[in-house]
Amino acid sequence: MIYDKSSVLYAFDVAKQDIRAQNKVVLVEGYMDCVMSHQAGVTYTVAVSGTALTPRQLQMLRRLCDTVISSFDTDAAGESATRRSLALASEFDFERRVAHIHTGKDPADAVLENPALWRDAVEQAKPVVDFYVEKAFAEHDPSTSTGKKAIANIVLPFVADLFDAIQQDHWIKQLAERLNVSEESI
């Protein structure tokens, strides 16, 4: 058998039954994050090899569940990986969520500090557009044209990835209202 790195998901063998039972999977960046997540009781967690989530891995997961919860590190590489993985997951029609650890720690550090912190982050994972709307409005001033543009640039790619026209319409209306601009400009 030829080794194919594109299908490696750490802990997949031990997590797959729980992934199926929970109908969701938590994706983390590294195997230590995965090990610590399992120790904290979030046993439907798998880790990608570095930050490279592949279509083949998503196909494997899609056979087991409908929801992907992403929680990569909060550094620039982790943020970029989160965006890429969530965009790729949309192609497989997953419900996409983001587990955000408010202390800015990665999952392993959060479990070491307080396992309940990690479990709460997973349980309270936000739908992808909700997460990025909150993040964009916290980082940019919606009363300035530059801030409005930055917010739209952050959020609109995730809205575009939604397959449901009703959800897209909802978010376009919400953004237009919150940015105080016309829906046409969104």
Side-chain angles (χ1 to χ4, degrees):
M1 180 174 173
I2 297 173
Y3 173 69
D4 181 5
K5 185 178 178 180
S6 71
S7 63
V8 172
L9 286 169
Y10 295 106
F12 180 75
D13 58 329
V14 296
K16 66 183 172 183
Q17 295 305 323
D18 288 334
I19 293 168
R20 183 178 284 122
Q22 295 289 326
N23 195 26
K24 57 188 169 187
V25 61
V26 177
L27 291 175
V28 294
E29 192 171 332
Y31 67 91
M32 282 308 298
D33 292 329
C34 186
V35 168
M36 297 303 290
S37 182
H38 279 252
Q39 288 182 0
V42 184
T43 56
Y44 47 96
T45 302
V46 296
V48 297
S49 179
T51 58
L53 183 65
T54 67
R56 186 159 181 189
Q57 292 167 331
L58 285 165
Q59 286 173 336
M60 292 168 42
L61 293 169
R62 190 65 179 109
R63 284 183 241 148
L64 302 175
C65 67
D66 296 324
T67 302
V68 169
I69 301 170
S70 179
S71 185
F72 291 163
D73 294 352
T74 56
D75 60 11
E79 175 67 24
S80 177
T82 297
R83 286 176 176 272
R84 281 192 317 271
S85 69
L86 291 169
L88 190 57
S90 75
E91 295 177 21
F92 292 87
D93 199 25
F94 277 102
E95 176 186 344
R96 300 164 300 146
R97 295 181 166 266
V98 178
H100 178 67
I101 304 164
H102 296 289
T103 59
K105 297 180 181 291
D106 68 10
D109 290 337
V111 171
L112 284 173
E113 181 180 315
N114 180 356
L117 182 69
W118 171 239
R119 288 190 300 269
D120 289 346
V122 172
E123 282 302 312
Q124 297 169 12
K126 293 187 181 298
V128 64
V129 180
D130 290 289
F131 175 79
Y132 281 103
V133 164
E134 285 183 19
K135 183 175 175 53
F137 276 87
E139 292 176 353
H140 301 282
D141 182 357
S143 67
T144 67
S145 63
T146 305
K148 290 176 189 205
K149 182 178 177 182
I151 291 166
N153 286 340
I154 290 168
V155 175
L156 286 177
F158 294 104
V159 173
D161 284 343
L162 296 170
F163 285 106
D164 185 81
I166 293 170
Q167 288 182 346
Q168 285 180 334
D169 187 59
H170 166 80
W171 284 111
I172 289 169
K173 286 180 179 177
Q174 287 291 314
L175 271 176
E177 185 177 303
R178 288 190 66 185
L179 293 174
N180 197 25
V181 298
S182 70
E183 288 180 34
E184 292 75 26
S185 66
I186 296 291

